[in-house]
Amino acid sequence: MLETGITQSELSRISGVRQPSISQFLSGRGHLSDDMLDRLLSCMGYRLEIVRRPVKQELGRSSESSWRLHRRLSIHLKPRTLSEWRPIMLRNLRRLGESTRGQPHLRNLDRWQRLIQDGDLSSLRRVMTGLDTDSVQMREVSPMGGLLPQEERAEILRRAS
């Protein structure tokens, strides 16, 4: 905006994006979608270029161990194993529900319940292997305890330390 000499009000009128949204984005308090940012930039003679590259996600020790264990479990996750595991996972969910308080944990227990009952293997795998905040928080109240054979669990934890 400095290079083009355009004000927030002018950019708003040209782009159709509300001025308060532009102000919040510029101050770091708001978020614009890539499409909206591209629209704003094109009004100033620029375009948005997104570069994709892998970035190593740094997790805390506990979160990384949980991710590694769940990632291994996801290898075993198939329709047949889900059917075998379902009673154990539902029992674990009931036990977790008795001792869990607060959000987002209670909401995540409900989400686990739906994913398990619906047999949604794709979403289960995403939660089990995801590195986003939502997946990490879901794994904090995971019903997957006791499903991984002890020797596999020990091997993963040994490699993680």
Side-chain angles (χ1 to χ4, degrees), residues 3-4 8 11 30 35 48 61 75 87 107 122 135 142 144:
E3 283 186 30
T4 61
Q8 290 181 28
L11 184 56
D35 288 337
L48 179 63
R61 186 177 179 165
I75 294 169
R107 183 173 47 250
S122 177
S135 295
S142 171
M144 303 292 179

Side-chain angles (χ1 to χ4, degrees), residues 63 103-105 107-109 111-112 127 130 132-142:
S63 294
Q103 299 299 345
H105 299 310
R107 183 173 47 250
N108 289 338
L109 288 174
R111 286 182 58 208
W112 278 116
V127 168
D132 56 286
T133 301
D134 183 57
S135 295
V136 170
Q137 289 176 345
M138 284 284 286
R139 289 191 299 268
E140 288 174 0
V141 289
S142 171

